[in-house]
């Protein structure tokens, strides 16, 4: 277990964690869009790098007793401004670390005083499928995307900086 309870998000590590730990101790939160998503969102539009990210669904389908619960954190792209220059994105991808400049209140790396709202959606109710087909994975991935979109559209009005935003899944 890493600092702050962080673990590597590799398939083998997640599978080991999910099978060894039960209940709340077996729960994991995966930032599915990862580093790529950091460079996509703006103050006008939320972009989720999600269309090609299906491994978490396959992992859920192939690990008995595991379900996926879609969540959305409103405010995470408004509390800090991130420099998304292509050069930094390219270096970050190559080095597999996030290199960027960010600022908030008073031009410092201090988050702005903006409302944050964390919303969890409905569990998908994943079945146990030891060898899922691509059709199985796509079906449950689509359900995940639909639930994230529902969460966003239902709750965005509650956060002032999000009322005008649209959600785009890329």
């Amino acid at each position: 277990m890493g600092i702050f309870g962080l673990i590597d998000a590799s398939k083998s590590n997640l599978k080991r964690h999910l099978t060894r730990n039960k209940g709340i101790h077996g729960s994991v939160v995966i930032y599915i869009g990862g580093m790529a998503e950091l460079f996509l969102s703006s103050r006008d539009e939320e972009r989720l790098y999600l269309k090609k990210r299906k491994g978490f669904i396959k992992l859920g389908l192939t690990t008995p007793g595991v379900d996926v619960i879609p969540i959305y954190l409103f405010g995470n792209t408004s509390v800090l401004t991130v420099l998304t220059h292509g050069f930094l994105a390219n270096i970050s991808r190559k080095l597999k670390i996030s290199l960027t400049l960010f600022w908030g209140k008073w031009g410092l790396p201090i988050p702005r005083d903006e409302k944050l709202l964390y919303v969890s959606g409905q569990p998908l109710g994943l079945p146990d499928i030891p060898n899922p087909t691509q059709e199985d994975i796509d079906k449950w991935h689509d359900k995940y995307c639909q639930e994230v979109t529902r969460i966003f559209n239902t709750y965005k009005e509650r956060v002032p900086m999000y009322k005008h935003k649209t959600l785009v899944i890329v």
Side-chain angles (χ1 to χ4, degrees):
M1 184 74 60
I3 190 166
F4 303 117
L6 299 174
I7 61 172
D8 174 48
S10 67
K11 176 184 175 184
S12 61
N13 200 37
L14 287 169
K15 187 89 166 177
R16 183 172 41 256
H17 181 81
L18 292 168
T19 54
R20 286 186 183 168
N21 302 289
K22 298 299 176 199
I24 192 74
H25 301 292
S27 299
V28 295
V29 175
I30 303 173
Y31 182 35
I32 299 166
M35 214 172 8
E37 204 168 85
L38 172 69
F39 296 99
L40 295 176
S41 291
S42 71
R43 302 224 6 121
D44 298 318
E45 183 177 75
E46 292 288 293
R47 290 178 164 254
L48 299 183
Y49 189 70
L50 186 55
K51 278 188 182 176
K52 296 179 184 178
R53 303 283 172 106
K54 299 181 182 183
F56 71 103
I57 295 292
K58 184 175 182 180
L59 181 65
L61 291 168
T62 59
T63 309
V66 169
D67 204 351
V68 172
I69 302 172
I71 63 170
Y72 202 90
L73 176 59
F74 293 90
N76 64 320
T77 58
S78 338
V79 294
L80 293 169
T81 300
V82 178
L83 181 64
T84 58
H85 190 272
F87 175 72
L88 289 174
N90 292 339
I91 289 178
S92 293
R93 175 64 68 200
K94 287 180 184 173
L95 297 177
K96 296 186 178 183
I97 59 170
S98 180
L99 295 175
T100 189
L101 299 174
F102 58 90
W103 60 95
K105 191 188 292 187
W106 308 305
L108 299 172
I110 300 171
R112 293 181 189 92
D113 295 325
E114 299 203 13
K115 182 177 181 178
L116 296 176
L117 177 65
Y118 166 89
V119 180
S120 61
Q122 295 296 314
L124 296 183
L126 293 179
D128 294 335
I129 305 175
N131 296 302
T133 65
Q134 189 60 50
E135 185 178 315
D136 294 328
I137 296 166
D138 290 344
K139 170 188 170 183
W140 291 100
H141 183 266
D142 288 344
K143 287 185 179 200
Y144 178 87
C145 292
Q146 289 170 15
E147 181 63 5
V148 168
T149 301
R150 185 196 67 78
I151 293 168
F152 184 84
N153 290 329
T154 301
Y155 292 93
K156 73 178 187 173
E157 296 290 326
R158 296 186 184 189
V159 181
M161 290 297 297
Y162 280 71
K163 287 181 180 182
H164 71 282
K165 285 192 173 194
T166 57
L167 179 68
V168 178
I169 296 177
V170 294

